[in-house]
């Protein structure tokens, strides 16, 4: 009997030693400030009991606290993780152990609390995302392969819940955007598309969560977990927003919350600091010359169109717009669709036909386009403002995109252009060239690869804009 008792005491002492070591390990993953905040959160909902050696949180109160902060289905499956057969629950019940107070039920000790929160917050975003998604479906499925349809509603709800969290935490950065279930579902479908294998599109492979394309999903889950645990959100993935029209948001933007998430996550971080509205047909009218005046010398831009059928799509131009008879830009350009389908189409490497802009020509296309070739662009806006085309059969050679608009040739209902970099200041001292008045001669020299010898002969009294305005008949007559 004595041997059994000694063995029991030895086992308990060893378990307590392991537990103490584990608690210290998990406390050490937090900064002193974070740990103090967690202790304050714990003390605010913990209670004392004569039947327990330390302050503890009633188990149901602990679960409800976590779930209430999340809301929606996300809160539901977070609760599922804590109370059911997940790895977190295994650590929670087996390693830490639930403190029992007889008929009063179970309590959560500081040990259980700190390990659970550390598991949620301090795992890599890939590990956290995989655990949450696997447990969210509440089904018999095991391993990394999960049914696509079983996760679609979950990811849609994650996007919806994220919108509420962004609003509550002041993370929208002056974006007065809206969100609805259809928009969220479109983004969810795009996210899950990155996690299916080519062999079986009905199965989501969670082993792909660590790929670059799932960064957006990981970000949303990480932000939600931070909100759930009252730790705040350390990183804001949205750029700030500047609009030059006070009544712009009353009219509404082509961007909503899901599309803003999609586009910002598709850009390099240097393009996610500040977005500036350059042009909108709602306020600036329908003029190609007016468009060029606003987008020239403004760095990389996003162009977004809604056609008269309600389809929303566009393009990202990675270089400043310059009038030139040849293609410019680089492989950072891409095309995208926002509604009714959601997609981002990056450069294929097949050719380098990224960006084209020219006007006032007789022999070359006049307008703005990305991808494909002359008269067969993936995204094209005609200089006869108001119309364009998206000709892809079956896909665009430069970006691999399908037809973006409902019809091959579309009419523009609304056009918005956003600059995604800081404002570029015009260079002082640049003046007009004698070639500026003849666009055709410029084009011939550029196509032939000849230098513009007279480029340096410029009158001192004229400023030289980076994009030259088309010379009208009246202007030509005035030169003679």
């Amino acid at each position: 009997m004595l041997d059994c008792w000694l063995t029991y005491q030895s086992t308990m002492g060893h378990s307590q030693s392991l537990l103490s070591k584990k608690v210290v390990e998990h406390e050490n993953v937090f900064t002193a400030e974070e740990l103090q905040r967690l202790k304050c959160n714990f003390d605010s909902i913990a209670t004392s009991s004569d039947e327990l050696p330390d302050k503890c949180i009633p188990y149901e109160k602990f679960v409800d606290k976590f779930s209430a902060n999340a809301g929606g289905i996300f809160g539901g499956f977070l609760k599922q993780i804590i109370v059911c057969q997940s790895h977190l629950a295994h650590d929670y019940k087996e390693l830490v152990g639930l403190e029992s107070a007889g008929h009063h039920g179970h309590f959560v000790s500081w040990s259980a609390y700190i390990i659970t929160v550390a598991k949620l917050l301090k795992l890599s975003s890939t590990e956290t995302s995989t655990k949450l998604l696997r447990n969210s479906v509440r089904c018999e499925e095991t391993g990394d392969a999960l049914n696509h349809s079983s996760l679609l509603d979950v990811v849609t709800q994650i996007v919806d819940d994220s919108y509420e969290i962004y609003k509550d935490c002041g993370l929208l950065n002056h974006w007065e955007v809206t969100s609805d279930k259809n928009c969220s579902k479109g983004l969810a479908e795009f996210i899950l598309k990155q996690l299916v294998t080519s062999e079986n599109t009905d199965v989501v492979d969670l082993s792909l969560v660590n790929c670059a394309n799932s960064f957006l999903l990981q970000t949303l889950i990480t932000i939600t977990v931070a909100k759930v645990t009252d730790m705040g959100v350390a990183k804001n993935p949205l750029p700030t927003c500047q609009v030059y029209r006070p009544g712009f948001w009353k009219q509404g933007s082509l961007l909503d919350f899901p599309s803003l998430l999609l586009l910002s996550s598709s850009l390099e971080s240097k393009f996610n600091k500040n977005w500036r509205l350059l042009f909108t047909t709602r306020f600036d009218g329908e003029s190609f010359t007016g468009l060029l005046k606003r987008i020239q010398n403004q760095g990389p831009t996003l162009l977004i169109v809604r056609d008269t059928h309600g389809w929303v799509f566009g393009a990202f131009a990675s270089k400043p717009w310059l009038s030139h008879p040849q293609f410019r830009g680089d492989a950072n350009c891409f095309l995208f669709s926002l509604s009714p389908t959601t997609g981002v189409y990056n450069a294929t490497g097949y050719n380098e036909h990224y960006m084209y802009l020219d006007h006032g020509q007789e022999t070359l296309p006049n307008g703005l386009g990305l991808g494909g070739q002359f008269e067969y662009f993936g995204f094209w806006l005609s200089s006869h403002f108001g119309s364009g085309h998206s000709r892809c059969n079956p896909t665009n050679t430069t970006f691999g995109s399908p037809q973006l608009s409902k019809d091959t040739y579309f009419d523009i209902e609304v056009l918005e252009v956003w600059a995604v970099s800081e404002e570029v200041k015009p260079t002082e001292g640049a003046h007009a060239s004698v070639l500026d008045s003849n666009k055709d001669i410029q084009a011939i020299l550029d196509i032939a690869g000849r230098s513009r010898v007279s480029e340096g002969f410029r009158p001192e009294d004229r400023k030289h804009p980076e994009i030259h305005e088309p010379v009208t008949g009246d202007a030509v007559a005035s030169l003679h």
Side-chain angles (χ1 to χ4, degrees):
M1 188 72 175
L2 178 61
D3 290 341
C4 290
W5 184 82
L6 290 174
T7 301
Y8 172 76
Q9 289 295 319
S10 176
T11 302
M12 289 297 293
H14 181 65
S15 297
Q16 288 298 318
S17 176
L18 287 177
L19 177 57
S20 297
K21 182 178 179 181
K22 197 73 174 177
V23 170
V24 171
E25 288 176 357
H26 284 79
E27 287 179 341
N28 287 340
V29 302
F30 296 100
T31 65
E33 183 180 351
E34 289 175 335
L35 193 60
Q36 181 60 37
R37 185 169 182 175
L38 286 172
K39 286 181 177 178
C40 290
N41 288 340
F42 177 82
D43 289 339
S44 68
I45 54 177
T47 58
S48 300
S49 170
D50 294 337
E51 297 171 283
L52 293 172
D54 301 303
K55 289 181 71 175
C56 293
I57 305 172
Y59 179 63
E60 289 301 324
K61 190 174 182 180
F62 169 73
V63 172
D64 290 342
K65 168 74 172 175
F66 272 54
S67 300
N69 278 1
I73 197 169
F74 194 93
F77 79 69
L78 185 60
K79 180 174 181 177
Q80 177 78 358
I81 287 173
I82 297 172
V83 302
C84 294
Q85 67 277 11
S86 68
H87 295 295
L88 294 179
H90 173 76
D91 288 335
Y92 182 69
K93 291 181 178 178
E94 302 299 330
L95 174 63
V96 179
L98 288 170
E99 303 285 354
S100 177
H103 67 278
H104 295 293
H106 298 299
F107 287 75
V108 178
S109 64
W110 167 253
S111 301
Y113 181 82
I114 192 63
I115 290 178
T116 299
V117 173
K119 288 287 187 182
L120 285 171
L121 282 175
K122 295 299 182 177
L123 287 174
S124 71
S125 57
T126 297
E127 291 175 301
T128 302
S129 300
T130 302
K131 287 179 182 293
L132 294 181
L133 291 175
R134 182 184 291 115
N135 285 276
S136 68
V137 296
R138 306 186 186 190
C139 63
E140 299 291 332
E141 295 168 301
T142 58
D144 286 328
L146 298 177
N147 183 268
H148 180 280
S149 60
S150 64
L151 281 176
L152 181 57
D153 287 343
V154 172
V155 178
T156 300
Q157 192 63 55
I158 289 175
V159 178
D160 277 343
D161 290 347
S162 298
Y163 176 61
E164 297 303 324
I165 290 173
Y166 272 64
K167 284 200 304 182
D168 292 346
C169 296
L171 299 177
L172 288 178
N173 274 350
H174 307 295
W175 290 96
E176 298 180 31
V177 291
T178 59
S179 185
D180 61 46
K181 209 67 169 179
N182 288 334
C183 301
S184 298
K185 186 176 182 180
L187 180 57
E189 288 174 337
F190 171 78
I191 289 172
L192 291 182
K193 241 183 239 182
Q194 319 305 312
L195 304 179
V196 298
T197 60
S198 56
E199 294 81 14
N200 189 349
T201 57
D202 292 329
V203 174
V204 175
D205 186 356
L206 291 185
S207 66
L208 299 176
V209 166
N210 64 348
C211 70
N213 288 332
S214 68
F215 170 76
L216 175 57
L217 178 62
Q218 295 179 40
T219 299
L220 294 180
I221 288 178
T222 301
I223 285 175
T224 307
V225 167
K227 174 68 165 61
V228 166
T229 52
D230 283 334
M231 286 299 289
V233 180
K235 182 180 179 182
N236 180 17
L238 291 183
T240 57
C241 167
Q242 285 182 277
V243 297
Y244 61 92
R245 296 285 188 177
F248 173 74
W249 295 115
K250 291 182 179 179
Q251 294 284 338
S253 173
L254 295 181
L255 290 171
D256 53 30
F257 179 70
S259 61
L260 183 56
L261 287 177
L262 174 70
L263 295 177
S264 62
S265 67
S266 300
L267 295 173
E268 295 179 70
S269 58
K270 64 182 179 181
F271 297 138
N272 274 320
K273 296 177 181 178
N274 183 47
W275 289 12
R276 297 173 291 115
L277 180 67
L278 297 180
F279 179 89
T280 171
T281 49
R282 287 185 171 132
F283 289 99
D284 301 308
E286 300 182 358
S287 163
F288 194 73
T289 301
L291 171 66
L292 295 189
K293 281 182 178 179
R294 289 195 171 273
I295 70 174
Q296 64 182 348
N297 197 39
Q298 295 297 329
T301 49
L302 282 164
L303 299 94
I304 310 168
V305 166
R306 183 169 69 207
D307 67 19
T308 50
H309 293 287
W311 288 42
V312 183
F313 51 91
F316 170 64
S318 60
K319 298 293 183 181
W321 285 106
L322 296 172
S323 183
H324 199 278
Q326 295 176 324
F327 284 93
R328 301 178 60 257
D330 58 31
N332 292 314
C333 296
F334 60 82
L335 303 183
F336 57 86
S337 54
L338 301 178
S339 178
T341 59
T342 303
V344 173
Y345 311 101
N346 295 303
T348 62
Y350 182 83
N351 58 42
E352 297 181 351
H353 297 174
Y354 302 120
M355 297 168 55
Y356 173 85
L357 170 65
D358 217 346
H359 58 107
Q361 299 286 349
E362 294 183 2
T363 57
L364 294 173
N366 292 304
L368 177 156
L370 292 92
Q373 57 189 357
F374 289 169
E375 310 299 344
Y376 215 91
F377 287 89
F379 176 88
W380 172 255
L381 302 180
S382 171
S383 62
H384 300 293
F385 198 87
S387 63
H389 72 246
S390 178
R391 303 185 69 181
C392 307
N393 186 23
T395 59
N396 177 261
T397 54
T398 309
F399 298 109
S401 59
Q403 182 175 300
L404 302 177
S405 50
K406 184 178 187 298
D407 298 326
T408 302
Y409 295 90
F410 61 82
D411 292 320
I412 298 172
E413 182 178 287
V414 181
L415 168 66
E416 287 179 14
V417 183
W418 295 83
V420 296
S421 63
E422 296 301 323
E423 186 173 0
V424 180
K425 300 297 183 183
T427 304
E428 294 295 330
H431 304 289
S433 165
V434 295
L435 288 177
D436 293 344
S437 61
N438 198 317
K439 307 292 288 185
D440 288 330
I441 292 179
Q442 291 181 30
I444 292 171
L445 289 174
D446 288 332
I447 293 172
R450 301 289 297 276
S451 62
R452 302 180 184 182
V453 178
S454 61
E455 186 73 15
F457 294 95
R458 297 176 179 275
E460 290 299 321
D461 60 341
R462 291 186 61 191
K463 295 293 183 181
H464 171 57
E466 189 163 341
I467 291 181
H468 314 302
E469 292 301 318
V471 179
T472 63
D474 291 339
V476 172
S478 68
L479 296 175
H480 295 290

